[in-house]
Amino acid sequence: MENRALLKERENHILIKESDQTQISCEKPTLAGAVSQRACVFCGSRVVLYPIADAVHLVHGPVGCAAYTWDIRGSLSSGPELHRLSFSTDLSEQEVIHGGEKKLTAALNKLITTYRPKAAFVYSTCIIGIIGDDVDAICKKISNVYGIPVIPVDSVGFQGTKKDGYAAACNALFKIIGTEPVTNIPVCSINILGEFNLAGEAWIIKEYYQKIGITIVSTLTGDGRIDEISRAHGASLNIVQCSGSMMQLAKLMKEKYGTPFLRVSYFGIEDVALSLYNVADFFSDYPEIKENAKKLVYEEITSRSKELDLYKKKLAGKKAAIYVGEAFKAFSLIKSLRSLGMKVVLAGSQTGNTEDYETLRELCDPGTIIIDDANPAELSRFIIEKEADLFIGGVKERPMAMKLGIGFCDHNHERQIPLAGFEGNLNFAKEIASSLCSPVWRFTKKQSGGTK
Amino acid sequence: MKDVTKNACHLCAPLGASLVYKGIQNCVSVLHGSQGCATYIRRYLIGHFREPIDIASSSFTEHTAVFGGQENMIQSIINVINTYSPDVIGVATTCLSETIGDDISMILKEFHKRRGESKTPVILYTSTPSYRGTHVTGFFKTLHDVINQTAIQTEPVDRMINIFSGLFSPAEIRSLKEIAASFSLKTILFPDYSDTLDGGNWNQYHPIPPGGTPIQIINNCGNAQASIDFSFCQKDEISAGQSLFGKFGIPSYRTAYPIGIELCDTFYDTLATLSGMEIPKQFMRERERLIDGYVDAHKYLYGKRAVVFGDENLVFSVSIFLAEIGIDVVCAATGGPKDSLIGLKTKEAFARTDILEDCDYEDVEEWVIHNRADILVGSSRGNKIARNAEIPLIRCGFPIHDRVGAARQNFIGYKGTHNLFDQITNALIEQRQNSMSINYGTM
Ligand code: SF4
Ligand code: SF4
């Protein structure tokens, strides 16, 4: 297909399953002027660390970076809620010229004495990368004064992409892990990595594990607590969901503490069940875990199958477009949409790597468009061309889809309805149906046949 | 200066710039800096307007930050031209590009040189580092810069005025245009994002949503007889009206957002003066109805304690309106700069009001915890404060992220004021009704 991207430099970031044999181009800096849906390094760090609820998160720089990320994520906490506050050093022009170190010190003193947090994270944003404040030194000093971890997060916006922000967050977490002694941790114990407790999803997952006889040492980072994280190295196994963001931490822990890891996903019946079984298999010395898992899966599925069937009938044959931050989610979504009888016509991500896109290619039906770091113009064009009925993405994509007269399901970090686990799978079907089956589409005009 | 800003009550300057550029027909904005700023600003605006909003970024990398942003800027302009074929590109700087000292006018010169004869859109630019201003000052600064860069004087046009808008909703912009038209005035209203940010469902794909003031019409601002300029609480140097006065001698009427009888009177009187017409009957009827409404409901309102927060211009006008109906404005707060509410400070009616400038939502929350308030008026960010204090929040201004219809809210003019008045009154009545032990069916 000629000219499928509007910009020449974007051509290789898009491929069509079957007709294109070449490898997709990915993991590149965003093309200037392309209106990428990506944010920045800081965004990557912030989303990973944000759910830690008993730490203060101080954004060092001018006000915007903190203001835009104030409480925009549905990560729930069962206790403290410090993470829902937005703290900024809000640098003024004078401080940009003369350095922000004084302000940073004052801000940390103020925050720590006011809120008595268990730790503080200091995020460096773009301006800090230019003016060169010695954030590390200040953090060390403050940490000594108050006796809590004060951890610099190297998240300067222009120094890479969201992915580098994940890495910075993993490094920050790695500094906390191992700082508390580990006694009394049972053998059948895990850390849950890459689960952010959106709409309480971590609680659903934790319950499954507890039911089958596995102890959770820490969740990174959903409903996260510093002291749990400090003991994370005591777990026997790391299970990694959002691999794009947390794989690095799993690897670091394996290196230093020898903790093995498993990749999992909690979206869609198939993947949830598989994840539970794989974890159970890991603890094969304790066969009752596998037995429990089987029982749990059976009960969870059968208790909902009738209701799920109702939705399946409504959704069969509909076409979906998926654009997500992390590629892992697209894998699960494709499978779970398929299990609902739906078809995926476009699948893309902001930050997938070559391996991710190969997996996507294997999973997708022929003709599916696979896209890396897309922009609204491309997405709109393919929605129309592929005659999608539904778009699954985040707030930024919502109005675009709706203007084009197609349904929408929010699967991003702002969602308030849990979509993980077995109950999440049912919610997911409900969510899609509540958009696709609405009578309002009668009044809109769905477009087809390309944009030109 | 405070040590740390908690839950900021202002956003950053390029957001204001992007909003102004949305008011130009067939225009795309490019923020000169890192990708994150543009994406966050898009997301924030989309949450409020619920419309597609594309904002490009010159997407700085490490290399750009060290060697300067020229090549990225040029590439982003070219890519925007190739993707959107816009008539206008609006460039705004961010903290980053300002700090490394990029000179946009030089970069644009270089761009035009390289571009040669190829068809090129009009390129406007503004400097909006956030360490120097808020989204509100960024809005007015951009408005000022656009007018400064585009307005030309050729032949003055009879009965034509400029309306330099404020941070109004699309519905309010529509209503301003209608009001001006009723005075048989030709109006250039800028920025007009009443369609671009509140459009219909599409029958066909639009790379750039339809609507906005065409650039040729903005050029014509230099030929108006007068400007009505809503940058009331802003400094003179970012007032577009002031700039046209300085350049072409066009008189400028700095006007407060027309909310409440007193401020609306000023606005309608100005239109009457400029048009040489009497205020049309329909508005006088609206005014009479509004006064009648005030009277009907005054007992529900007298002595109630309100906290108002947000954009300084809105806080100013809403406070004056509330005082007018017997509500005590006990606290008026803005994230705007020091002295942006000086207009309230000098008024007798606010002698006992706590006026907070350059404040954040934590300051407002603290205030509410330590003092008593009956009602909050401001953005949806006050939601947490209202919920904890168990008092109603009347959502107005920007952002409104937790309700639909932000774009359709109209609180200006006599009619719009009546709308706001009813919402406030009913919220107070509901509060009282719910707190009573007896279920009264009449209130
Ligand atoms: S404050 Fe400055 S650096 Fe931060 S988002 Fe706004 S423009 Fe970008
Ligand atoms: S200033 Fe940098 S760190 Fe902050 S939002 Fe913009 S790109 Fe991200």
Side-chain angles (χ1 to χ4, degrees):
Chain A
M1 191 169 108
E2 278 310 297
N3 255 336
R4 61 178 161 242
L6 293 156
L7 301 171
K8 200 170 87 257
E9 295 91 331
R10 292 265 325 135
E11 285 279 314
N12 298 329
H13 290 259
I14 303 169
L15 62 82
I16 300 169
K17 162 125 183 196
E18 231 70 315
S19 41
D20 293 316
Q21 295 306 331
T22 47
Q23 249 194 13
I24 199 164
S25 164
C26 56
E27 293 189 283
K28 295 273 173 346
T30 297
L31 176 65
V35 193
S36 164
Q37 307 292 86
R38 283 178 179 170
C40 57
V41 180
F42 162 67
C43 168
S45 298
R46 183 86 168 102
V47 295
V48 169
L49 297 174
Y50 170 81
I52 302 175
D54 58 355
V56 296
H57 300 265
L58 173 62
V59 184
H60 188 29
V63 76
C65 327
Y68 297 126
T69 50
W70 171 22
D71 204 18
I72 59 168
R73 217 167 178 234
S75 295
L76 302 187
S77 164
S78 52
E81 289 199 317
L82 277 177
H83 65 307
R84 298 191 60 190
L85 299 171
S86 153
F87 301 125
S88 167
T89 48
D90 194 359
L91 297 185
S92 67
E93 182 152 30
Q94 283 313 306
E95 286 143 0
V96 171
I97 296 167
H98 301 294
E101 296 185 357
K102 253 208 193 121
K103 188 88 178 264
L104 175 59
T105 309
L108 281 168
N109 279 324
K110 176 96 189 185
L111 288 175
I112 295 173
T113 49
T114 312
Y115 297 101
R116 304 263 157 221
K118 290 277 161 42
F121 293 100
V122 178
Y123 302 79
S124 291
T125 60
C126 286
I127 292 303
I128 308 308
I130 300 291
I131 65 176
D133 284 355
D134 192 348
V135 177
D136 289 16
I138 294 171
C139 287
K140 211 171 267 159
K141 218 163 75 196
I142 301 278
S143 172
N144 287 335
V145 175
Y146 295 99
I148 58 167
V150 178
I151 296 176
V153 185
D154 192 8
S155 56
V156 173
F158 59 81
Q159 288 173 353
T161 65
K162 200 170 166 187
K163 271 245 147 100
D164 301 281
Y166 295 147
C170 287
N171 290 335
L173 289 169
F174 194 55
K175 285 185 189 155
I176 300 175
I177 293 169
T179 53
E180 289 288 328
V182 282
T183 42
N184 299 330
I185 294 181
V187 177
C188 295
S189 61
I190 57 172
N191 297 310
I192 301 179
L193 272 61
E195 165 50 59
F196 303 112
N197 203 30
L198 305 175
E201 289 174 348
W203 297 330
I204 297 177
I205 306 304
K206 272 177 152 175
E207 202 188 306
Y208 294 160
Y209 285 116
Q210 278 154 0
K211 271 190 182 158
I212 65 174
I214 289 174
T215 302
I216 289 128
V217 181
S218 74
T219 311
L220 296 137
T221 53
D223 197 13
R225 297 293 181 277
I226 294 296
D227 59 346
E228 287 174 12
I229 298 172
S230 339
R231 293 162 18 103
H233 57 302
S236 307
L237 174 69
N238 281 332
I239 51 169
V240 189
Q241 173 168 245
C242 181
S243 53
S245 64
M246 286 298 216
M247 212 43 177
Q248 161 148 341
L249 183 65
K251 285 180 183 158
L252 286 170
M253 285 182 71
K254 179 156 192 206
E255 230 168 75
K256 180 156 177 192
Y257 303 108
T259 322
F261 59 82
L262 271 180
R263 284 177 75 157
V264 295
S265 167
Y266 304 113
F267 297 117
I269 291 182
E270 211 179 303
D271 281 357
V272 196
L274 191 68
S275 299
L276 291 173
Y277 291 155
N278 287 346
V279 174
D281 286 342
F282 179 86
F283 296 109
S284 55
D285 290 349
Y286 303 84
E288 68 277 13
I289 292 184
K290 183 73 178 264
E291 285 314 306
N292 294 342
K294 279 185 186 158
K295 214 170 113 225
L296 180 128
V297 170
Y298 178 79
E299 280 166 8
E300 293 282 338
I301 292 179
T302 46
S303 67
R304 293 190 177 82
S305 63
K306 250 212 186 119
E307 202 180 342
L308 195 61
D309 284 343
L310 287 178
Y311 291 110
K312 278 189 190 164
K313 264 192 215 122
K314 295 185 181 185
L315 300 177
K318 301 280 190 190
K319 290 182 267 184
I322 306 173
Y323 189 72
V324 290
E326 296 323 306
F328 93 91
K329 205 192 280 172
F331 308 156
S332 293
L333 283 176
I334 291 170
K335 287 188 243 169
S336 70
L337 288 166
R338 206 172 268 151
S339 79
L340 293 170
M342 292 176 63
K343 218 180 123 151
V344 173
V345 291
L346 176 149
S349 83
Q350 288 174 14
T351 54
N353 60 27
T354 316
E355 199 187 316
D356 292 332
Y357 286 113
E358 272 317 303
T359 314
L360 261 189
R361 203 204 297 244
E362 275 159 35
L363 277 172
C364 287
D365 296 326
T368 304
I369 290 178
I370 297 172
I371 189 163
D372 170 67
D373 187 16
N375 57 51
E378 289 162 0
L379 291 172
S380 302
R381 186 180 166 144
F382 293 129
I383 289 174
I384 296 169
E385 195 178 293
K386 289 282 165 186
E387 301 183 23
D389 302 296
L390 176 81
F391 195 95
I392 302 180
V395 175
K396 286 192 297 286
E397 292 90 23
R398 182 180 60 200
M400 173 196 73
M402 292 190 179
K403 280 285 178 213
L404 296 173
I406 72 167
F408 180 79
C409 168
D410 187 352
H411 210 299
N412 209 331
H413 56 217
E414 281 157 71
R415 62 180 182 266
Q416 287 156 352
I417 296 165
L419 302 177
F422 299 103
E423 69 173 85
N425 185 63
L426 183 59
N427 289 340
F428 179 56
K430 270 189 215 171
E431 274 284 287
I432 297 178
S434 69
S435 188
L436 282 182
C437 303
S438 164
V440 299
W441 306 117
R442 184 160 69 90
F443 301 104
T444 64
K445 186 165 168 268
K446 189 174 150 188
Q447 287 127 80
S448 58
T451 54
K452 290 257 156 107
Chain B
M1 171 95 36
K2 55 173 62 137
D3 293 333
V4 57
T5 297
K6 306 171 183 175
N7 302 345
C9 190
H10 60 282
L11 297 150
C12 67
L15 181 141
S18 309
L19 204 51
V20 170
Y21 291 140
K22 284 304 289 181
I24 303 176
Q25 190 180 62
N26 213 15
C27 173
V28 175
S29 48
V30 180
L31 301 188
H32 190 38
S34 302
Q35 182 64 43
C37 312
T39 303
Y40 278 134
I41 288 171
R42 278 178 68 205
R43 193 219 143 264
Y44 213 84
L45 288 168
I46 287 173
H48 177 86
F49 291 102
R50 297 172 187 260
E51 293 283 312
I53 298 173
D54 290 8
I55 298 171
S57 165
S58 53
S59 302
F60 273 40
T61 59
E62 192 89 71
H63 183 272
T64 333
V66 176
F67 297 100
Q70 172 168 305
E71 292 314 309
N72 278 50
M73 186 76 242
I74 291 177
Q75 188 186 26
S76 48
I77 293 176
I78 292 171
N79 283 339
V80 165
I81 294 174
N82 291 341
T83 311
Y84 294 93
S85 323
D87 295 331
V88 182
I89 292 178
V91 175
T93 58
T94 64
C95 304
L96 180 57
S97 54
E98 289 283 340
T99 306
I100 65 167
D102 269 2
D103 180 343
I104 300 289
S105 64
M106 290 292 291
I107 295 178
L108 292 181
K109 243 186 226 141
E110 174 63 23
F111 166 76
H112 286 296
K113 203 171 90 199
R114 287 195 211 165
R115 187 92 178 153
E117 299 293 294
S118 322
K119 193 165 167 279
T120 300
V122 175
I123 303 179
L124 306 169
Y125 67 95
T126 185
S127 152
T128 40
S130 286
Y131 47 72
R132 213 180 285 150
T134 65
H135 67 296
V136 179
T137 57
F139 178 93
F140 288 106
K141 166 122 197 332
T142 308
L143 203 173
H144 166 276
D145 289 359
V146 168
I147 295 303
N148 211 21
Q149 286 162 40
T150 57
I152 34 178
Q153 198 167 46
T154 46
E155 187 113 349
V157 178
D158 201 31
R159 301 189 70 76
M160 184 171 86
I161 62 161
N162 302 319
I163 295 184
F164 297 129
S165 173
L167 277 102
F168 293 129
S169 76
E172 289 170 336
I173 293 176
R174 288 194 286 272
S175 127
L176 279 178
K177 290 199 288 191
E178 279 164 27
I179 294 171
S182 313
F183 282 85
S184 306
L185 287 165
K186 289 187 215 104
T187 312
I188 303 178
L189 186 143
F190 181 72
D192 180 0
Y193 45 75
S194 61
D195 286 320
T196 57
L197 294 179
D198 191 19
N201 205 264
W202 291 345
N203 288 322
Q204 71 181 82
Y205 172 63
H206 300 280
I208 304 174
T213 318
I215 188 75
Q216 298 77 10
I217 291 190
I218 304 174
N219 290 143
N220 211 15
C221 280
N223 292 321
Q225 303 293 334
S227 307
I228 293 180
D229 179 344
F230 286 109
S231 64
F232 191 73
C233 297
Q234 267 33 71
K235 294 210 175 96
D236 278 358
E237 67 242 34
I238 55 169
S239 147
Q242 214 53 40
S243 145
L244 284 188
F245 176 69
K247 256 177 146 166
F248 305 129
I250 300 173
S252 170
Y253 296 78
R254 293 288 280 283
T255 308
Y257 291 4
I259 304 173
I261 296 281
E262 189 189 320
L263 296 178
C264 282
D265 282 353
T266 312
F267 172 59
Y268 288 88
D269 285 346
T270 307
L271 287 172
T273 313
L274 294 178
S275 65
M277 260 173 74
E278 276 191 22
I279 298 177
K281 266 225 184 63
Q282 81 201 73
F283 301 129
M284 295 318 287
R285 293 288 295 148
E286 285 172 9
R287 187 177 188 277
E288 285 158 17
R289 268 184 226 117
L290 179 58
I291 293 174
D292 197 51
Y294 279 14
V295 172
D296 285 346
H298 71 279
K299 301 234 351 193
Y300 299 113
L301 307 172
Y302 185 77
K304 293 287 182 204
R305 296 163 59 88
V307 175
V308 186
F309 50 85
D311 157 10
E312 52 268 32
N313 300 282
L314 186 71
V315 170
F316 176 84
S317 291
V318 168
S319 298
I320 289 183
F321 156 66
L322 292 175
E324 192 173 87
I325 58 176
I327 290 182
D328 290 337
V329 179
V330 283
C331 175
T334 181
K338 210 173 138 278
D339 285 340
S340 53
L341 288 177
I342 191 115
L344 284 187
K345 288 183 190 160
T346 50
K347 282 199 164 40
E348 184 54 38
F350 304 99
R352 284 180 305 130
T353 304
D354 276 328
I355 296 178
L356 313 178
E357 292 162 333
D358 192 16
C359 75
D360 56 34
Y361 285 101
E362 280 287 300
D363 297 330
V364 181
E365 178 149 22
E366 285 284 302
W367 195 97
V368 173
I369 290 171
H370 292 113
N371 301 274
R372 194 176 56 76
D374 299 308
I375 192 163
L376 304 176
V377 185
S379 82
S380 70
R381 281 304 193 179
N383 166 41
K384 177 179 160 236
I385 308 172
R387 190 171 157 133
N388 290 342
E390 297 180 6
I391 54 175
L393 164 66
I394 300 301
R395 285 163 177 78
C396 80
F398 178 86
I400 297 175
H401 279 163
D402 63 354
R403 292 287 185 277
V404 296
R408 292 184 300 283
Q409 246 182 17
N410 179 8
F411 292 153
I412 63 172
Y414 297 123
K415 212 159 99 186
T417 302
H418 213 150
N419 192 359
L420 178 61
F421 177 82
D422 287 344
Q423 282 198 26
I424 290 175
T425 309
N426 283 332
L428 287 166
I429 292 177
E430 186 179 339
Q431 173 90 340
R432 186 155 143 229
Q433 189 174 34
N434 290 344
S435 69
M436 288 173 161
S437 54
I438 298 166
N439 180 19
Y440 283 102
T442 325
M443 292 296 291

